Coordinates of all heavy atoms in Angstrom, one line a residue:
M1 N 0.8 -1.2 -0.1 CA -0.1 -0.2 -0.1 C 0.7 1.2 0.0 O 0.5 2.2 -0.6 CB -1.0 0.1 1.3 CG -2.1 -0.8 1.1 SD -3.2 -0.1 -0.1 CE -4.7 -0.7 0.4
A2 N 1.9 1.2 0.8 CA 2.8 2.3 1.0 C 3.4 2.7 -0.5 O 3.6 3.7 -0.8 CB 3.8 2.1 2.0
D3 N 3.9 1.6 -1.2 CA 4.4 1.6 -2.5 C 3.6 2.5 -3.4 O 4.0 3.2 -4.2 CB 4.8 0.4 -3.0 CG 6.1 -0.3 -2.2 OD1 6.9 0.6 -1.6 OD2 6.2 -1.5 -2.2
I4 N 2.3 2.2 -3.5 CA 1.3 2.7 -4.3 C 1.1 4.1 -4.0 O 1.1 5.0 -5.0 CB -0.1 2.0 -4.2 CG1 0.0 0.6 -4.7 CG2 -1.1 2.7 -5.1 CD1 -1.2 -0.3 -4.6
S5 N 1.2 4.5 -2.8 CA 1.0 5.9 -2.4 C 2.3 6.8 -2.7 O 2.2 7.9 -3.3 CB 0.8 6.0 -0.9 OG 1.0 7.4 -0.5
V6 N 3.4 6.2 -2.6 CA 4.8 6.8 -3.0 C 4.8 6.9 -4.5 O 5.1 8.0 -5.0 CB 6.0 6.0 -2.4 CG1 7.1 6.5 -3.1 CG2 5.9 6.0 -1.0
D7 N 4.3 5.9 -5.2 CA 4.3 6.0 -6.8 C 3.3 7.1 -7.2 O 3.6 7.9 -8.1 CB 3.8 4.7 -7.3 CG 4.9 3.6 -7.2 OD1 6.1 3.9 -7.0 OD2 4.7 2.4 -7.4
R8 N 2.1 7.3 -6.5 CA 1.2 8.4 -6.9 C 1.9 9.7 -6.6 O 1.7 10.6 -7.3 CB 0.0 8.1 -6.2 CG -0.8 7.1 -6.7 CD -2.2 6.8 -5.9 NE -2.9 5.8 -6.3 CZ -4.0 5.2 -5.6 NH1 -4.4 5.7 -4.6 NH2 -4.6 4.2 -6.1
D9 N 2.6 9.9 -5.5 CA 3.2 11.0 -5.2 C 4.3 11.5 -6.2 O 4.4 12.6 -6.7 CB 3.8 11.1 -3.8 CG 2.7 11.1 -2.6 OD1 1.5 11.5 -3.0 OD2 3.0 10.8 -1.5
I10 N 5.1 10.4 -6.5 CA 6.1 10.6 -7.6 C 5.5 11.0 -9.0 O 6.0 11.9 -9.6 CB 7.2 9.4 -7.6 CG1 7.9 9.3 -6.3 CG2 8.0 9.5 -8.7 CD1 8.7 8.1 -6.2
N11 N 4.5 10.3 -9.2 CA 3.9 10.6 -10.6 C 3.2 12.0 -10.6 O 3.3 12.7 -11.5 CB 2.8 9.5 -10.8 CG 3.4 8.2 -11.2 OD1 4.5 8.2 -11.8 ND2 2.7 7.1 -11.0
A12 N 2.7 12.4 -9.6 CA 2.1 13.8 -9.3 C 3.2 14.7 -9.4 O 3.0 15.8 -10.2 CB 1.3 13.9 -8.1
Q13 N 4.3 14.5 -8.8 CA 5.5 15.5 -8.9 C 6.0 15.6 -10.4 O 6.3 16.6 -10.8 CB 6.4 15.0 -7.8 CG 6.0 15.2 -6.4 CD 7.2 14.7 -5.5 OE1 8.1 14.2 -5.8 NE2 6.9 15.0 -4.2
I14 N 6.1 14.4 -10.9 CA 6.6 14.4 -12.3 C 5.7 15.2 -13.1 O 6.1 16.0 -14.0 CB 6.7 13.0 -12.8 CG1 8.0 12.4 -12.0 CG2 7.0 13.0 -14.3 CD1 8.1 10.8 -12.2
E15 N 4.3 15.0 -13.0 CA 3.3 15.7 -13.7 C 3.5 17.3 -13.6 O 3.4 18.1 -14.5 CB 1.9 15.3 -13.6 CG 0.9 15.8 -14.5 CD 1.1 15.4 -15.9 OE1 1.6 14.3 -16.2 OE2 0.7 16.2 -16.7
D16 N 3.7 17.6 -12.3 CA 3.8 19.1 -11.9 C 5.1 19.6 -12.7 O 5.1 20.7 -13.2 CB 3.9 19.3 -10.4 CG 2.5 19.1 -9.7 OD1 1.5 19.1 -10.4 OD2 2.5 18.9 -8.5
L17 N 6.0 18.8 -12.6 CA 7.4 19.4 -13.2 C 7.2 19.3 -14.7 O 7.7 20.4 -15.3 CB 8.5 18.4 -12.9 CG 9.1 18.4 -11.5 CD1 10.1 17.3 -11.3 CD2 9.7 19.7 -11.2
R18 N 6.4 18.6 -15.4 CA 6.3 18.6 -16.7 C 5.4 19.8 -17.1 O 5.8 20.5 -18.1 CB 5.5 17.4 -17.2 CG 6.3 16.2 -17.4 CD 5.6 14.9 -17.8 NE 6.4 13.7 -18.0 CZ 6.0 12.6 -18.0 NH1 4.6 12.3 -17.9 NH2 7.0 11.5 -18.1
N19 N 4.4 20.1 -16.4 CA 3.6 21.3 -16.4 C 4.5 22.5 -16.5 O 4.4 23.6 -17.2 CB 2.4 21.4 -15.5 CG 1.4 20.3 -15.9 OD1 1.3 19.9 -16.9 ND2 0.6 19.9 -14.9
Q20 N 5.4 22.6 -15.3 CA 6.2 23.8 -15.1 C 7.1 23.9 -16.3 O 7.4 25.1 -16.8 CB 7.0 23.8 -13.9 CG 6.1 23.8 -12.6 CD 6.9 23.6 -11.3 OE1 8.1 23.3 -11.3 NE2 6.2 23.6 -10.2
V21 N 7.8 22.9 -16.8 CA 8.7 22.9 -17.9 C 7.9 23.4 -19.3 O 8.5 24.2 -19.9 CB 9.4 21.5 -18.1 CG1 10.0 21.4 -19.5 CG2 10.2 21.1 -17.1
S22 N 6.7 22.9 -19.3 CA 5.8 23.4 -20.5 C 5.7 24.9 -20.4 O 5.8 25.6 -21.5 CB 4.6 22.6 -20.5 OG 3.9 23.1 -21.6
K23 N 5.3 25.4 -19.2 CA 5.1 26.8 -19.0 C 6.3 27.5 -19.4 O 6.3 28.6 -20.0 CB 4.5 27.1 -17.7 CG 3.1 26.8 -17.4 CD 2.6 27.0 -16.0 CE 1.3 26.4 -15.7 NZ 0.9 26.7 -14.3
L24 N 7.4 27.1 -18.8 CA 8.8 27.9 -18.9 C 9.1 27.9 -20.4 O 9.5 28.9 -21.0 CB 9.8 27.2 -18.2 CG 9.7 27.4 -16.6 CD1 10.8 26.5 -15.9 CD2 9.9 28.9 -16.3
S25 N 8.8 26.8 -21.0 CA 9.2 26.6 -22.6 C 8.4 27.6 -23.3 O 8.8 28.4 -24.2 CB 8.9 25.3 -23.1 OG 9.9 24.4 -22.4
S26 N 7.2 27.8 -23.0 CA 6.2 28.7 -23.6 C 6.6 30.1 -23.3 O 6.6 30.9 -24.2 CB 4.7 28.5 -23.1 OG 3.8 29.5 -23.6
Q27 N 6.9 30.5 -22.1 CA 7.5 31.8 -21.8 C 8.7 32.1 -22.5 O 8.9 33.2 -23.0 CB 7.7 31.9 -20.3 CG 6.3 31.9 -19.4 CD 6.7 31.9 -17.9 OE1 7.6 31.8 -17.5 NE2 5.5 32.0 -17.2
L28 N 9.6 31.2 -22.5 CA 10.9 31.4 -23.2 C 10.6 31.6 -24.7 O 11.3 32.5 -25.3 CB 11.8 30.2 -23.1 CG 13.2 30.2 -23.7 CD1 14.0 31.5 -23.1 CD2 13.9 28.9 -23.4
A29 N 9.8 31.0 -25.3 CA 9.5 31.2 -26.8 C 9.0 32.5 -27.0 O 9.3 33.2 -27.9 CB 8.5 30.0 -27.2
D30 N 8.1 33.0 -26.1 CA 7.4 34.4 -26.2 C 8.5 35.4 -26.1 O 8.6 36.3 -27.0 CB 6.4 34.5 -25.1 CG 5.1 33.7 -25.4 OD1 5.0 33.3 -26.4 OD2 4.3 33.5 -24.4
R31 N 9.4 35.2 -25.2 CA 10.6 36.2 -25.1 C 11.5 36.3 -26.2 O 12.0 37.2 -26.6 CB 11.3 35.9 -23.7 CG 10.5 36.3 -22.5 CD 11.3 36.0 -21.2 NE 10.5 36.4 -20.1 CZ 10.9 36.2 -18.7 NH1 12.2 35.9 -18.6 NH2 10.1 36.6 -17.8
I32 N 11.7 35.0 -26.7 CA 12.5 34.9 -28.0 C 11.9 35.7 -29.1 O 12.6 36.4 -29.9 CB 12.9 33.5 -28.3 CG1 13.8 32.8 -27.3 CG2 13.5 33.4 -29.6 CD1 14.1 31.4 -27.3
D33 N 10.6 35.5 -29.2 CA 9.9 36.1 -30.3 C 10.0 37.7 -30.2 O 10.2 38.4 -31.1 CB 8.4 35.7 -30.3 CG 8.2 34.3 -30.9 OD1 9.1 33.8 -31.5 OD2 7.2 33.7 -30.6
V34 N 9.7 38.2 -28.8 CA 9.9 39.6 -28.6 C 11.3 40.1 -28.9 O 11.5 41.2 -29.6 CB 9.4 40.0 -27.2 CG1 9.8 41.4 -26.8 CG2 8.1 39.6 -27.0
A35 N 12.3 39.4 -28.6 CA 13.7 39.8 -28.7 C 13.8 39.9 -30.2 O 14.6 40.7 -30.8 CB 14.6 38.9 -28.0
A36 N 13.4 38.8 -31.0 CA 13.7 38.8 -32.4 C 12.9 40.0 -33.1 O 13.5 40.5 -34.0 CB 13.2 37.5 -33.0
E37 N 11.7 40.3 -32.7 CA 11.1 41.5 -33.3 C 11.9 42.8 -33.0 O 12.1 43.6 -33.9 CB 9.7 41.7 -32.7 CG 8.8 40.5 -33.2 CD 7.5 40.5 -32.5 OE1 7.1 41.8 -31.8 OE2 6.7 39.6 -32.7
R38 N 12.4 42.9 -31.7 CA 13.2 44.0 -31.5 C 14.4 44.2 -32.2 O 14.9 45.2 -32.8 CB 13.5 44.1 -30.0 CG 12.3 44.5 -29.0 CD 12.8 44.5 -27.7 NE 11.5 44.7 -26.8 CZ 11.5 44.6 -25.5 NH1 12.6 44.3 -24.8 NH2 10.4 44.9 -24.7
A39 N 15.1 43.0 -32.4 CA 16.4 43.0 -33.3 C 16.1 43.4 -34.6 O 16.8 44.1 -35.2 CB 17.0 41.6 -33.1
D40 N 14.9 42.9 -35.2 CA 14.6 43.2 -36.6 C 14.2 44.7 -36.7 O 14.8 45.4 -37.7 CB 13.2 42.5 -36.9 CG 13.6 41.1 -37.4 OD1 14.8 40.6 -37.5 OD2 12.5 40.2 -37.3
E41 N 13.7 45.3 -35.7 CA 13.4 46.8 -35.7 C 14.6 47.5 -35.7 O 14.8 48.4 -36.4 CB 12.5 47.1 -34.6 CG 10.9 46.6 -34.7 CD 10.2 46.8 -33.4 OE1 10.6 47.4 -32.5 OE2 8.9 46.4 -33.5
A42 N 15.5 47.2 -34.8 CA 16.7 47.8 -34.6 C 17.4 47.7 -36.0 O 18.2 48.6 -36.4 CB 17.6 47.2 -33.5
L43 N 17.6 46.6 -36.6 CA 18.3 46.4 -37.9 C 17.7 47.2 -38.9 O 18.5 47.9 -39.7 CB 18.3 44.9 -38.2 CG 19.1 44.5 -39.5 CD1 20.6 44.9 -39.3 CD2 18.9 43.1 -39.7
S44 N 16.3 47.2 -39.1 CA 15.8 48.2 -40.0 C 16.1 49.5 -39.9 O 16.4 50.3 -40.9 CB 14.2 47.9 -39.9 OG 14.0 46.6 -40.3
S45 N 16.0 50.0 -38.6 CA 16.5 51.4 -38.3 C 17.9 51.6 -38.6 O 18.1 52.8 -39.1 CB 16.2 51.7 -36.8 OG 16.6 53.0 -36.3
A46 N 18.8 50.8 -38.3 CA 20.2 51.0 -38.5 C 20.4 51.0 -40.1 O 21.2 51.8 -40.5 CB 21.1 49.9 -37.9
K47 N 19.7 50.2 -40.9 CA 19.9 50.2 -42.2 C 19.5 51.4 -42.9 O 20.1 51.9 -43.7 CB 19.0 49.1 -42.9 CG 19.6 47.8 -42.8 CD 18.8 46.7 -43.4 CE 19.3 45.2 -43.3 NZ 18.3 44.3 -43.9
A48 N 18.4 52.1 -42.4 CA 17.9 53.3 -42.9 C 18.9 54.4 -42.5 O 19.2 55.3 -43.3 CB 16.6 53.6 -42.2
K49 N 19.3 54.4 -41.4 CA 20.4 55.4 -40.8 C 21.7 55.4 -41.8 O 22.3 56.3 -42.2 CB 20.7 55.3 -39.5 CG 19.6 55.9 -38.6 CD 19.7 55.7 -37.1 CE 18.6 56.1 -36.3 NZ 18.9 55.9 -34.9
V50 N 22.2 54.1 -41.9 CA 23.3 53.9 -42.7 C 23.1 54.3 -44.1 O 24.0 55.0 -44.8 CB 23.8 52.5 -42.6 CG1 24.8 52.3 -43.7 CG2 24.4 52.1 -41.3
S51 N 22.1 54.0 -44.7 CA 21.7 54.4 -46.1 C 21.7 56.0 -46.2 O 22.2 56.5 -47.2 CB 20.4 53.9 -46.4 OG 20.1 54.4 -47.8
S52 N 21.1 56.6 -45.2 CA 21.0 58.1 -45.2 C 22.5 58.7 -45.1 O 22.8 59.6 -45.9 CB 20.3 58.7 -44.2 OG 20.3 60.1 -43.9
V53 N 23.3 58.1 -44.2 CA 24.7 58.6 -44.1 C 25.5 58.4 -45.3 O 26.4 59.2 -45.7 CB 25.4 57.9 -42.9 CG1 26.8 58.3 -42.8 CG2 24.7 58.4 -41.5
T54 N 25.3 57.1 -45.9 CA 26.0 56.9 -47.1 C 25.7 57.9 -48.2 O 26.5 58.4 -49.0 CB 25.7 55.5 -47.5 OG1 26.1 54.6 -46.5 CG2 26.4 55.1 -48.8
D55 N 24.3 58.1 -48.4 CA 23.9 59.1 -49.4 C 24.5 60.5 -49.2 O 25.0 61.2 -50.1 CB 22.5 59.2 -49.5 CG 21.8 57.9 -50.0 OD1 22.5 57.1 -50.6 OD2 20.6 57.7 -49.8
Q56 N 24.5 60.9 -47.9 CA 25.1 62.2 -47.5 C 26.6 62.3 -47.9 O 27.2 63.3 -48.4 CB 24.8 62.5 -46.2 CG 25.2 63.9 -45.6 CD 24.9 64.3 -44.3 OE1 24.2 63.5 -43.6 NE2 25.2 65.6 -43.9
A57 N 27.3 61.3 -47.4 CA 28.8 61.2 -47.6 C 29.1 61.0 -49.1 O 30.1 61.8 -49.5 CB 29.3 59.9 -47.1
R58 N 28.3 60.4 -50.0 CA 28.5 60.4 -51.4 C 28.2 61.8 -52.0 O 29.1 62.3 -52.8 CB 27.5 59.4 -52.1 CG 27.7 59.2 -53.6 CD 26.8 58.1 -54.1 NE 27.1 56.9 -53.6 CZ 26.3 56.0 -53.0 NH1 25.0 56.4 -52.6 NH2 26.7 54.8 -52.4
S59 N 27.3 62.5 -51.6 CA 27.0 63.8 -52.0 C 28.1 64.8 -51.6 O 28.5 65.5 -52.4 CB 25.7 64.4 -51.4 OG 25.4 65.7 -51.7
E60 N 28.6 64.7 -50.4 CA 29.6 65.6 -49.9 C 30.9 65.2 -50.8 O 31.7 66.2 -51.0 CB 29.9 65.3 -48.5 CG 28.8 66.0 -47.6 CD 28.6 67.5 -47.8 OE1 29.7 68.2 -48.0 OE2 27.4 67.9 -47.8
G61 N 31.2 63.9 -50.9 CA 32.3 63.6 -51.8 C 32.3 64.1 -53.1 O 33.3 64.6 -53.7
K62 N 31.1 64.1 -53.8 CA 30.9 64.7 -55.1 C 31.2 66.2 -55.0 O 31.8 66.7 -56.0 CB 29.6 64.5 -55.8 CG 29.3 63.0 -56.1 CD 28.1 62.8 -56.6 CE 27.9 61.4 -57.0 NZ 26.4 61.0 -57.4
N63 N 30.8 66.9 -54.0 CA 30.9 68.4 -53.9 C 32.5 68.7 -53.8 O 33.0 69.6 -54.3 CB 30.2 68.9 -52.7 CG 28.8 68.8 -52.9 OD1 28.2 68.9 -54.0 ND2 27.9 69.0 -51.8
V64 N 33.1 67.8 -52.9 CA 34.7 68.0 -52.8 C 35.3 67.9 -54.2 O 36.2 68.7 -54.5 CB 35.2 67.1 -51.7 CG1 36.6 67.1 -51.6 CG2 34.7 67.4 -50.3
I65 N 34.9 66.7 -54.9 CA 35.6 66.5 -56.1 C 35.4 67.7 -57.0 O 36.3 68.3 -57.8 CB 35.2 65.2 -56.7 CG1 35.6 64.1 -55.8 CG2 35.6 65.0 -58.1 CD1 35.1 62.7 -56.3
K66 N 34.1 68.2 -57.0 CA 33.8 69.3 -58.0 C 34.5 70.6 -57.5 O 35.0 71.2 -58.4 CB 32.3 69.6 -57.9 CG 31.8 70.6 -58.8 CD 30.3 70.9 -58.5 CE 29.7 72.1 -59.4 NZ 28.4 72.4 -59.2
A67 N 34.7 70.9 -56.3 CA 35.4 72.0 -55.9 C 36.9 71.8 -56.2 O 37.5 72.8 -56.5 CB 35.4 72.2 -54.3
A68 N 37.4 70.6 -56.0 CA 38.8 70.4 -56.4 C 39.1 70.5 -57.8 O 40.1 71.1 -58.3 CB 39.3 69.0 -55.9
K69 N 38.2 70.2 -58.7 CA 38.3 70.3 -60.1 C 38.3 71.7 -60.5 O 38.9 72.3 -61.3 CB 37.3 69.6 -60.9 CG 37.5 68.0 -60.9 CD 36.5 67.3 -61.7 CE 36.7 65.7 -61.7 NZ 35.7 65.0 -62.4
E70 N 37.5 72.4 -59.8 CA 37.2 74.1 -60.2 C 38.3 74.8 -59.6 O 38.6 75.8 -60.2 CB 35.9 74.5 -59.6 CG 34.7 74.0 -60.2 CD 33.5 74.3 -59.7 OE1 33.4 75.0 -58.5 OE2 32.3 73.9 -60.1
N71 N 39.1 74.3 -58.6 CA 40.1 75.2 -58.0 C 41.3 74.3 -57.7 O 41.7 74.0 -56.6 CB 39.6 75.7 -56.6 CG 38.4 76.6 -56.7 OD1 38.4 77.6 -57.5 ND2 37.3 76.2 -56.1
P72 N 42.0 73.8 -58.9 CA 43.1 73.0 -58.6 C 44.3 73.6 -57.8 O 45.0 72.9 -57.1 CB 43.6 72.7 -60.1 CG 43.1 73.8 -61.0 CD 41.8 74.2 -60.1
T73 N 44.5 74.9 -58.0 CA 45.6 75.6 -57.1 C 45.3 75.5 -55.7 O 46.1 75.1 -54.9 CB 45.8 77.0 -57.7 OG1 45.9 77.1 -59.1 CG2 47.0 77.6 -57.0
A74 N 44.2 75.7 -55.3 CA 43.8 75.9 -54.0 C 43.8 74.4 -53.5 O 44.2 74.2 -52.2 CB 42.3 76.4 -53.8
T75 N 43.4 73.4 -54.2 CA 43.5 72.0 -53.8 C 44.9 71.6 -53.6 O 45.2 71.0 -52.6 CB 42.8 71.0 -54.9 OG1 41.5 71.6 -55.0 CG2 42.7 69.7 -54.4
G76 N 45.8 71.9 -54.4 CA 47.2 71.7 -54.2 C 47.7 72.3 -53.1 O 48.6 71.7 -52.4
S77 N 47.4 73.6 -52.9 CA 48.0 74.2 -51.6 C 47.5 73.6 -50.4 O 48.3 73.3 -49.4 CB 47.4 75.8 -51.6 OG 48.0 76.4 -52.8
V78 N 46.3 73.1 -50.2 CA 45.7 72.4 -49.2 C 46.4 71.1 -48.9 O 46.7 70.9 -47.8 CB 44.2 72.2 -49.3 CG1 43.7 71.3 -48.2 CG2 43.4 73.7 -49.2
L79 N 46.5 70.4 -50.0 CA 47.3 69.2 -49.7 C 48.7 69.2 -49.4 O 49.2 68.5 -48.6 CB 47.3 68.4 -51.2 CG 45.8 67.8 -51.6 CD1 45.9 67.2 -52.9 CD2 45.3 66.8 -50.5
V80 N 49.4 70.1 -49.8 CA 50.8 70.5 -49.5 C 50.9 70.9 -48.0 O 51.7 70.4 -47.2 CB 51.5 71.5 -50.4 CG1 52.8 72.0 -49.9 CG2 51.7 70.8 -51.9
T81 N 50.0 71.9 -47.7 CA 49.9 72.3 -46.3 C 49.6 71.2 -45.4 O 50.3 71.1 -44.2 CB 48.8 73.5 -46.1 OG1 49.1 74.5 -47.1 CG2 48.8 74.0 -44.8
T82 N 48.6 70.3 -45.8 CA 48.2 69.2 -44.8 C 49.5 68.2 -44.7 O 49.8 67.7 -43.7 CB 47.0 68.4 -45.5 OG1 46.0 69.3 -45.6 CG2 46.6 67.3 -44.5
A83 N 50.2 67.9 -45.8 CA 51.3 67.1 -45.8 C 52.4 67.6 -44.9 O 53.1 66.9 -43.9 CB 51.9 66.9 -47.1
L84 N 52.7 69.0 -44.9 CA 53.8 69.6 -44.2 C 53.3 69.6 -42.7 O 54.2 69.3 -41.8 CB 53.9 71.1 -44.6 CG 54.5 71.2 -45.9 CD1 54.7 72.7 -46.2 CD2 56.1 70.7 -45.8
L85 N 52.0 69.8 -42.4 CA 51.6 69.7 -41.0 C 51.8 68.3 -40.4 O 52.1 68.1 -39.2 CB 50.1 70.2 -40.9 CG 49.8 71.6 -41.0 CD1 48.3 71.8 -41.1 CD2 50.6 72.4 -40.0
G86 N 51.5 67.3 -41.4 CA 51.7 65.9 -40.9 C 53.2 65.6 -40.6 O 53.5 64.9 -39.6
V87 N 54.2 66.2 -41.4 CA 55.5 65.9 -41.3 C 56.0 66.5 -40.0 O 56.7 66.0 -39.2 CB 56.3 66.5 -42.5 CG1 57.8 66.5 -42.1 CG2 56.0 65.7 -43.7
F88 N 55.5 67.9 -39.8 CA 55.9 68.6 -38.6 C 55.4 67.8 -37.3 O 56.1 67.7 -36.3 CB 55.4 70.0 -38.6 CG 56.2 70.8 -39.6 CD1 55.7 71.8 -40.4 CD2 57.6 70.7 -39.7 CE1 56.4 72.5 -41.3 CE2 58.5 71.5 -40.6 CZ 57.8 72.4 -41.4
A89 N 54.1 67.3 -37.3 CA 53.6 66.7 -36.2 C 54.3 65.4 -35.9 O 54.6 65.1 -34.7 CB 52.1 66.4 -36.4
G90 N 54.7 64.6 -36.9 CA 55.6 63.5 -36.8 C 56.9 63.8 -36.1 O 57.4 63.0 -35.2
I91 N 57.6 64.8 -36.6 CA 58.9 65.2 -36.0 C 58.6 65.6 -34.6 O 59.4 65.2 -33.6 CB 59.5 66.5 -36.8 CG1 59.9 65.9 -38.2 CG2 60.6 66.9 -36.1 CD1 60.2 66.9 -39.2
L92 N 57.6 66.4 -34.3 CA 57.3 66.8 -32.9 C 57.1 65.6 -31.9 O 57.5 65.5 -31.0 CB 56.1 67.7 -32.8 CG 55.8 68.4 -31.4 CD1 57.0 69.1 -30.9 CD2 54.6 69.2 -31.7
I93 N 56.2 64.7 -32.5 CA 55.9 63.4 -31.6 C 57.2 62.7 -31.5 O 57.5 62.1 -30.4 CB 54.7 62.7 -32.3 CG1 53.5 63.4 -32.2 CG2 54.6 61.3 -31.6 CD1 52.3 62.8 -33.0
G94 N 57.9 62.5 -32.5 CA 59.3 61.9 -32.4 C 60.2 62.4 -31.4 O 60.9 61.7 -30.6
R95 N 60.2 63.7 -31.4 CA 61.1 64.4 -30.4 C 60.7 64.2 -28.9 O 61.4 64.1 -28.0 CB 61.4 65.8 -30.8 CG 62.3 65.9 -31.9 CD 62.7 67.4 -32.2 NE 63.6 67.5 -33.2 CZ 64.0 68.6 -33.9 NH1 63.5 69.7 -33.5 NH2 64.8 68.6 -34.9
L96 N 59.3 64.3 -28.8 CA 58.7 64.2 -27.4 C 58.8 62.8 -26.9 O 58.9 62.7 -25.7 CB 57.2 64.7 -27.5 CG 56.9 66.2 -27.8 CD1 55.4 66.5 -27.9 CD2 57.6 67.0 -26.6
S97 N 58.8 61.9 -27.6 CA 58.8 60.4 -27.3 C 60.2 60.1 -26.8 O 60.4 59.2 -26.0 CB 58.3 59.5 -28.3 OG 59.2 59.5 -29.4
N98 N 61.3 60.9 -27.2 CA 62.7 60.6 -26.8 C 62.9 61.2 -25.5 O 63.0 61.2 -24.5 CB 63.7 61.1 -27.8 CG 63.6 60.3 -29.1 OD1 63.2 59.2 -29.1 ND2 64.1 61.0 -30.2

């Protein structure tokens, strides 16, 4: 008799555990769905922002090229000045590191 009672208790506990596992699985699936939706929304938003930035950068690049073509002397002067500043910065950093 005692064995039957123990078996029923164990079977009841097993059934309770199965129900709990089922509920947890359902909750986990719901959370995964929500997380996936949020990730999709974030990806879509990021794609739109990257596209906008890319278009703006392309437009600015075209403007720079146009300005460089219209003013080759100024462009050359800017490039030479930038190169000289780079050389002087390199020398200064080299001396400061010694």
Side-chain angles (χ1 to χ4, degrees):
M1 283 289 202
D3 288 337
I4 293 174
S5 175
V6 170
D7 286 345
R8 286 183 185 163
D9 287 344
I10 291 174
N11 286 336
Q13 289 177 354
I14 290 172
E15 187 61 31
D16 286 343
L17 288 173
R18 284 182 181 158
N19 289 337
Q20 289 176 1
V21 168
S22 176
K23 286 178 186 177
L24 289 173
S25 294
S26 176
Q27 290 173 354
L28 181 60
D30 291 343
R31 289 184 181 183
I32 288 173
D33 288 343
V34 169
E37 288 175 13
R38 287 181 182 171
D40 285 343
E41 290 171 4
L43 183 60
S44 295
S45 175
K47 283 182 181 179
K49 289 178 183 178
V50 167
S51 177
S52 173
V53 168
T54 302
D55 291 342
Q56 186 175 0
R58 186 176 292 123
S59 174
E60 291 300 320
K62 287 179 183 179
N63 290 338
V64 168
I65 291 172
K66 182 179 175 185
K69 285 181 181 179
E70 290 175 357
N71 302 305
T73 305
T75 302
S77 298
V78 169
L79 291 175
V80 168
T81 303
T82 304
L84 289 174
L85 288 174
V87 168
F88 289 134
I91 291 170
L92 181 62
I93 291 172
R95 287 189 179 170
L96 290 176
S97 65
N98 289 336

